[in-house]
Amino acid sequence: MPQLFRAIARQYLLPLLALFVISLFVACHSNPQSTTQVSASDSQLRIWWSQGFLPLENEAIQKIVADWQNKSGSKAELTLFTNDVLMKEVKIALEAGKPPDLVFARTIDYILLPRLAWENKLADVADVLEPVKNTYLPSALAAAYYQNNVAKKRSYYAVPIAQQTAHIHYWQNSIEMGGFNRNNLPQDWEGFWLFWQKVQSTLRQKGQKEIYGVGLTLSPTATDTFFEFEYFLEAYNAKIIDENGQLLVNNPKVRQGIIAALTDFTRPYKNGYNAPEAAEWTDTDNNIAFLNSEVVMAVNPSLSIPITQREDADVYLDRIVTANWPKKPDGTAMIDLSAVKQVALFESSKYKKEAKDFLSYLIQPQILNSYLQSSGSSFFPVMPQLLNEPFWQGTNPKDPHIAAAAKQLQQTRQFYTVLNPAYGEVQSQNVWGKALKSIVKEGLSSEQAGDRAIKEIEQIFANWK
């Protein structure tokens, strides 16, 4: 265990910590009180960007910005932030009336962009996308096609650059130690989740007293929580919003689906085979718990868990397994959720022409492909010509994690924010995370927590203006 932890700290935690410190220094050097004062002047394009899980991803976006400056003759200032810091700083900057020109954050698409577009705070970028629409997956374009309540129209208010879905990862060596192998992994819903309880019980009998079978995130502060929980809603066919954007939570079948999903999601925790700290986890804690072998299996949006171990071929290729989701309780195939990552241009920008020129440069297939590959496949393409390449199919070079993820992306649906922007507020307030925690920490029943969540969602939709 100590040796593994040191390896993780070297490969995963320390690089992120170093990048975090560097980003804060870069962002705050001109005014320690606020990162909204990043620029020394307003004479150049300001780009705020989420740091990558790997240094190569940061180097790639830095190179893209530098190459664009050389090509265009325009000046740009790129500032990297950890995602949590960036989300906070965007909100602070908006309140202060000093947002950057362009922003890319890993969770901004399903939390903040729908509201910003609704409030006319994002620039219409249809002129960037229209000439290249045929290069995109239709679902990716739909994800950035927002409603503007001020202009009373729908249009493209962000530029899609990537997509991600949630994956199941487990330690092959841990289940082998428990007397199982990947061929024993059930594909039916109930059997799948009970499997991890059996693995934990066997490992505990063999002396591993501090290991847990499951790593599901139940914290109301983590975006991973609702990303993971949406899969359980999908498993029970609990359709929250219809194709016309109408809320369906009061439909008796939908309500029962919500209650069933809450029951299943919290069962491992209540029965003692989900990590007890999971009710307090942030978006990185499940990664750390898995990599430190505190849990046998974890669910995580993106491939950020295995890619941190890519330099260790034994761990990456043989010990960590990325598995498909089991079938739904009704026996039908799971439909994966795809979150489309987007770059947004603020309406208040003085440099819309330059910003749009940069966006057009960024989404050239060869440029974007280079950036996405540098992410270590944390993100996948939203352009069919890229998605079909051997690299993104996990065949050249051979990569079992990318291959498994590519299979998941064959049948997906978007988050409900595509149908109604008010659902972005449901995610921003992490209504599902609060419901889950109320069950495991406050002792509410699934029915009580579900009805409370339904009322909260109805209020959010009623207040949406």
Side-chain angles (χ1 to χ4, degrees):
M1 182 79 72
Q3 183 177 1
L4 178 58
F5 182 80
R6 286 195 294 271
I8 292 162
R10 181 174 61 255
Q11 297 182 23
Y12 181 64
L13 300 177
L14 293 181
L16 282 180
L17 180 60
L19 288 168
F20 173 71
V21 171
I22 291 170
S23 71
L24 286 183
F25 174 78
V26 172
C28 300
H29 71 277
S30 62
N31 186 339
Q33 294 181 347
S34 174
T35 52
T36 62
Q37 302 296 325
V38 170
S39 293
S41 69
D42 292 329
S43 60
Q44 56 189 334
L45 185 70
R46 292 188 300 148
I47 305 170
W48 288 4
W49 206 268
S50 273
Q51 289 176 352
F53 291 106
L54 299 175
L56 283 176
E57 187 177 343
N58 301 315
E59 293 168 7
I61 189 60
Q62 289 167 343
K63 183 178 186 303
I64 288 170
V65 172
D67 289 348
W68 172 77
Q69 288 184 95
N70 291 334
K71 177 179 178 295
S72 66
S74 300
K75 297 296 182 182
E77 177 187 67
L78 172 68
T79 308
L80 299 175
F81 300 85
T82 60
N83 188 76
D84 288 347
V85 172
L86 178 51
M87 290 296 292
K88 291 176 183 177
E89 290 303 326
V90 167
K91 293 176 182 178
I92 292 171
L94 284 167
E95 291 173 0
K98 296 181 179 180
D101 299 288
L102 291 169
V103 64
F104 168 71
R106 292 172 179 268
T107 57
I108 200 170
D109 53 284
Y110 43 64
I111 292 179
L112 195 55
L113 293 189
R115 174 170 285 279
L116 294 179
W118 180 267
E119 296 175 345
N120 196 41
K121 292 180 180 177
L122 299 182
D124 189 327
V125 291
D127 50 341
V128 173
L129 289 173
E130 287 292 346
V132 294
K133 280 178 64 174
N134 62 344
T135 67
Y136 274 95
L137 292 168
S139 58
L141 292 172
Y145 198 67
Y146 294 115
Q147 178 70 33
N148 183 323
N149 194 45
V150 176
K152 303 299 180 184
K153 68 171 185 176
R154 272 186 175 269
S155 189
Y156 297 110
Y157 286 97
V159 172
I161 62 169
Q163 62 179 320
Q164 65 179 160
T165 189
H167 310 285
I168 291 170
H169 306 296
Y170 65 85
W171 286 109
Q172 174 73 9
N173 56 306
S174 291
I175 65 171
E176 289 175 348
M177 188 180 298
F180 304 94
N181 61 53
R182 68 176 65 189
N183 296 324
N184 299 133
L185 188 60
Q187 290 305 299
D188 66 287
W189 184 260
E190 183 177 2
F192 179 87
W193 296 104
L194 286 176
F195 175 82
W196 307 106
Q197 184 176 17
K198 295 176 183 177
V199 172
Q200 175 181 308
S201 297
T202 305
L203 292 175
R204 292 285 180 92
Q205 292 170 9
K206 294 189 175 184
Q208 295 197 42
K209 301 298 184 184
E210 297 182 359
I211 197 166
Y212 292 87
V214 172
L216 288 172
T217 308
L218 298 100
S219 165
T221 59
T223 63
D224 283 7
T225 303
F226 63 72
F227 206 129
E228 296 170 23
F229 183 70
E230 291 278 350
Y231 271 80
F232 281 67
L233 291 173
E234 178 63 35
Y236 281 96
N237 300 311
K239 192 172 183 178
I240 307 301
I241 298 174
D242 68 16
E243 287 76 8
N244 297 317
Q246 298 302 305
L247 196 60
L248 301 176
V249 289
N250 263 330
N251 180 301
K253 289 184 178 180
V254 174
R255 177 181 177 273
Q256 287 305 312
I258 291 171
I259 292 170
L262 288 168
T263 300
D264 272 12
F265 200 94
T266 56
R267 183 180 288 116
Y269 191 97
K270 294 172 73 174
N271 289 351
Y273 62 103
N274 194 10
E277 299 84 6
E280 309 295 338
W281 277 350
T282 65
D283 284 337
T284 57
D285 289 329
N286 58 335
N287 297 49
I288 295 169
F290 180 87
L291 292 171
N292 203 29
S293 291
E294 295 169 8
V295 297
V296 179
M297 181 271 279
V299 178
N300 193 55
S302 87
L303 291 176
S304 61
I305 285 178
I307 65 172
T308 62
Q309 303 304 300
R310 184 168 278 169
E311 296 303 313
D312 188 329
D314 177 58
V315 174
Y316 186 76
L317 297 176
D318 299 322
R319 292 178 62 191
I320 298 177
V321 178
T322 298
N324 292 325
W325 284 81
K327 293 180 179 179
K328 296 181 179 183
D330 66 6
T332 60
M334 173 65 77
I335 297 175
D336 282 89
L337 277 73
S338 171
V340 175
K341 307 294 103 177
Q342 304 162 34
V343 186
L345 168 62
F346 286 99
E347 176 63 24
S348 60
S349 171
K350 299 178 184 177
Y351 299 100
K352 288 190 178 72
K353 180 181 177 182
E354 291 81 0
K356 290 180 178 182
D357 185 66
F358 172 76
L359 291 171
S360 295
Y361 177 79
L362 173 67
I363 61 175
Q364 293 179 60
Q366 70 276 16
I367 303 295
L368 190 55
N369 194 41
S370 175
Y371 171 70
L372 295 178
Q373 288 194 22
S374 74
S375 75
S377 65
S378 179
F379 297 132
F380 274 68
V382 286
M383 296 176 176
Q385 70 181 91
L386 300 182
L387 196 55
N388 292 327
E389 288 186 2
F391 177 89
W392 295 109
Q393 294 299 311
T395 58
N396 187 22
K398 187 175 181 181
D399 190 310
H401 303 289
I402 295 180
K407 186 176 180 181
Q408 286 184 250
L409 291 170
Q410 291 176 5
Q411 187 176 16
T412 63
R413 74 163 174 85
Q414 303 297 314
F415 279 90
Y416 290 120
T417 50
V418 174
L419 301 173
N420 193 316
Y423 199 74
E425 193 66 23
V426 174
Q427 294 172 321
S428 179
Q429 295 185 27
N430 213 333
V431 172
W432 299 123
K434 289 186 287 187
L436 293 164
K437 190 170 183 179
S438 73
I439 295 171
V440 300
K441 290 298 185 181
E442 299 174 26
L444 267 64
S445 67
S446 296
E447 290 82 359
Q448 291 170 322
D451 286 338
R452 179 190 285 184
I454 286 171
K455 288 182 180 179
E456 192 170 350
I457 292 170
E458 288 177 326
Q459 190 62 53
I460 288 171
F461 273 67
N463 291 341
W464 187 266
K465 296 179 180 179

